Amino acid sequence: MSTDTLAPALSVDDATADLLFREARTTREFTDAEVTDEQLAAVYDLVKWGPTAMNTLPLRVLAVRSPEARERLVAHMADGNKERVSTAPLSLVVAYDPAFHEHLDTLMPHLPGMRDNLHAVPAVREDMGRTNGLLQAGYLVVGLRAAGLAAGPMNGMDHAAVDAEFFAENGWRSLLVINVGVAAGTGTTYPRAPRLAAEQAVTTV
Amino acid sequence: MSTDTLAPALSVDDATADLLFREARTTREFTDAEVTDEQLAAVYDLVKWGPTAMNTLPLRVLAVRSPEARERLVAHMADGNKERVSTAPLSLVVAYDPAFHEHLDTLMPHLPGMRDNLHAVPAVREDMGRTNGLLQAGYLVVGLRAAGLAAGPMNGMDHAAVDAEFFAENGWRSLLVINVGVAAGTGTTYPRAPRLAAEQAVTTV
């Protein structure tokens, strides 16, 4: 564990804090262990409980598993990310659905008019979908780790091309790609980069 | 705990899964317990380890503590959120710093030119700051819960007015507000809203 945390202020034990944050690394090197659809469902069933505005839950995940699909994804990744996607056990295209409002009669039953109101304002839905999808992407990174999986998130990709390739029919929009698997060792040969101190990022008025 | 999770697939115990996700609620009702700056620093020192693109760490947090500052924030919240901010033990304005690149010589020492490259492209920094700030906001919600605190995130606010009110000098941009404290009971009288099933949000190709 790191030395600058105030462990007594936490309600989770050190092993959990290490697993979810302090020792977890952006992983580039994985074992051959497979990531099953059942594992992904368990992760989703955990992180779906995280809060989103009006319970909109716009996060969508495309698990790119087949060699053919993987090749289609690699083609649209930035050059520096192609090999990582080629060799990861599984890559997730993390996206949001701008048509999230279609589920609101179920997800937000005490606001019965919201579905129709949002139907009329696609730009608002784009903004809400992106904002809350990214919040949920943060929950997802933690949830993968809570399932003993390592995550290698990356944003270097041609988003429009990925969306045209995979989401032409359902209209989802890509946010990032996360390589997923079991880490080999620490999962990376990079030394751990420093972080900002709390007093650089948190101020009080 | 909920009944539709596959607990054996998780590496954290049920109590942790419940604390961070399954039993945690968007909280509107808090006890009188104070949230200290030390607790906030401990939360930041946990979640700062979460991954961001190029270790940019754009998240910034303004803790609104004094009655005078709280009044200034309440004025710019949506009507439905004013009372919640007035009565919460502490409210955080979660933001990002578009000038995050100024720290990259420290945060990303093996990419020495990145600071200057990003200085020249403010629109790219806005996009990176917002994307990675929201990812970190997701980590922050989990981190608050890991410190035994309850979170009530909300997005209904006049973002431009909040930024003008609090961030005219440092240029930060608000993403959301999170009310923080110790939950009174379950922290809410709302029944728990349903979630999408994994098969509605996760697909495989």
Side-chain angles (χ1 to χ4, degrees):
Chain A
M1 59 172 278
S2 61
T3 55
D4 57 348
T5 49
L6 300 169
L10 297 181
S11 295
V12 296
D13 60 27
D14 276 343
T16 300
D18 289 350
L19 176 75
L20 301 183
F21 288 105
R22 298 190 303 207
E23 294 294 333
R25 299 289 305 276
T26 291
T27 299
R28 296 175 176 80
E29 295 162 18
F30 298 94
T31 72
D32 290 337
E34 194 189 350
V35 180
T36 66
D37 286 345
E38 289 70 26
Q39 281 176 295
L40 288 184
V43 170
Y44 185 80
D45 277 336
L46 179 68
V47 303
K48 71 183 180 186
W49 297 111
T52 53
M54 295 194 313
N55 200 34
T56 41
L57 296 171
L59 178 78
R60 301 292 183 269
V61 177
L62 179 73
V64 178
R65 189 181 293 285
S66 76
E68 173 269 335
R70 184 184 300 256
E71 218 166 273
R72 289 161 59 203
L73 178 59
V74 167
H76 304 302
M77 299 302 296
D79 286 344
N81 289 336
K82 285 181 191 293
E83 193 189 338
R84 291 182 200 161
V85 171
S86 291
T87 59
L90 188 67
S91 295
L92 310 179
V93 182
V94 178
Y96 67 94
D97 183 359
F100 64 81
H101 64 297
E102 291 174 4
H103 299 280
L104 287 185
D105 288 349
T106 305
L107 297 179
M108 207 20 108
H110 60 281
L111 287 177
M114 197 51 71
R115 177 186 169 158
D116 291 344
N117 293 348
L118 283 168
H119 181 79
V121 286
V124 172
R125 283 190 278 111
E126 287 291 338
D127 186 57
M128 288 183 69
R130 183 174 176 79
T131 296
N132 290 283
L134 282 163
L135 260 185
Q136 286 190 283
Y139 308 150
L140 180 65
V141 169
V142 179
L144 289 165
R145 292 167 170 182
L149 296 168
M154 45 180 56
N155 217 336
M157 55 196 279
D158 182 338
H159 286 278
V162 168
D163 294 355
E165 183 74 45
F166 292 105
F167 304 142
E169 286 182 23
N170 63 19
W172 297 0
R173 293 178 189 266
S174 58
L175 294 165
L176 61 162
V177 164
I178 304 181
N179 295 322
V180 179
V182 173
T186 59
T188 177
T189 55
Y190 284 74
R192 183 135 219 186
R195 298 300 198 265
L196 296 178
E199 58 267 28
Q200 294 176 287
V202 184
T203 62
T204 299
V205 289
Chain B
M1 62 172 276
S2 61
T3 55
D4 56 346
T5 50
L6 302 169
L10 297 180
S11 295
V12 296
D13 60 26
D14 275 342
T16 301
D18 288 349
L19 176 74
L20 301 183
F21 288 105
R22 297 190 302 207
E23 293 294 332
R25 300 289 305 274
T26 292
T27 298
R28 295 174 177 82
E29 294 163 18
F30 298 95
T31 71
D32 290 336
E34 197 189 348
V35 180
T36 67
D37 286 345
E38 289 70 26
Q39 282 176 294
L40 288 184
V43 170
Y44 185 80
D45 277 337
L46 179 68
V47 303
K48 71 183 180 186
W49 297 111
T52 53
M54 296 195 310
N55 201 34
T56 41
L57 296 171
L59 178 79
R60 301 293 182 269
V61 177
L62 179 73
V64 178
R65 188 181 293 286
S66 76
E68 174 267 338
R70 184 184 300 257
E71 218 165 273
R72 289 161 58 205
L73 178 59
V74 167
H76 304 301
M77 299 302 297
D79 286 343
N81 290 334
K82 285 181 191 293
E83 192 189 340
R84 292 183 199 160
V85 170
S86 291
T87 59
L90 189 67
S91 294
L92 309 179
V93 182
V94 178
Y96 67 94
D97 183 0
F100 64 81
H101 64 297
E102 290 175 5
H103 300 280
L104 288 186
D105 288 349
T106 305
L107 298 179
M108 210 15 111
H110 62 279
L111 287 176
M114 198 50 72
R115 177 188 168 155
D116 291 344
N117 292 349
L118 282 169
H119 181 78
V121 285
V124 172
R125 283 190 277 109
E126 287 290 340
D127 187 56
M128 288 183 68
R130 183 174 175 79
T131 295
N132 289 281
L134 283 164
L135 260 186
Q136 286 190 282
Y139 308 150
L140 180 66
V141 168
V142 179
L144 289 165
R145 292 168 170 182
L149 296 168
M154 46 180 56
N155 218 335
M157 53 196 281
D158 182 337
H159 287 277
V162 167
D163 296 353
E165 183 75 45
F166 292 105
F167 304 141
E169 287 181 24
N170 62 18
W172 298 358
R173 291 178 190 265
S174 58
L175 293 166
L176 60 161
V177 164
I178 304 182
N179 295 321
V180 179
V182 174
T186 58
T188 177
T189 54
Y190 284 74
R192 182 134 221 187
R195 297 301 196 264
L196 295 178
E199 59 266 29
Q200 294 176 286
V202 184
T203 61
T204 300
V205 288

